[in-house]
Amino acid sequence: MLLELANRIKTLRNERNLTQAVCYEDTGINFGRIERGVRDISFTTLVKICKYFNVSMNELLKDTF
């Protein structure tokens, strides 16, 4: 499940033509670790990612669970 979520976040980032570095500068979140699936994501981080990409939690998690 973690890898599916990681791929979803990577897709959102790529759809917006953003690099991991830009996302880190904007949010302070290390997208590289998340997208590799090596870091479990806290609820707070999920909320920040949703706000950053302007998507609902349902939209972010769709097809993941």
Side-chain angles (χ1 to χ4, degrees), residues 38-54:
V38 297
R39 180 172 178 242
D40 200 4
I41 305 168
S42 71
F43 179 76
T44 304
T45 300
L46 283 175
V47 170
K48 288 179 184 179
I49 290 171
C50 287
K51 287 182 179 182
Y52 183 65
F53 290 124
N54 195 31

Side-chain angles (χ1 to χ4, degrees), residues 10-61:
K10 183 175 183 176
T11 298
L12 287 170
R13 182 179 58 76
N14 286 332
E15 287 174 350
R16 289 157 176 79
N17 296 314
L18 297 168
T19 64
Q20 290 177 353
V22 168
C23 291
Y24 179 77
E25 289 173 13
D26 292 344
T27 65
I29 298 170
N30 187 324
F31 279 73
R33 283 189 284 186
I34 292 172
E35 291 177 9
R36 286 191 312 273
V38 297
R39 180 172 178 242
D40 200 4
I41 305 168
S42 71
F43 179 76
T44 304
T45 300
L46 283 175
V47 170
K48 288 179 184 179
I49 290 171
C50 287
K51 287 182 179 182
Y52 183 65
F53 290 124
N54 195 31
V55 296
S56 69
M57 189 72 73
N58 285 338
E59 188 176 349
L60 178 66
L61 299 176

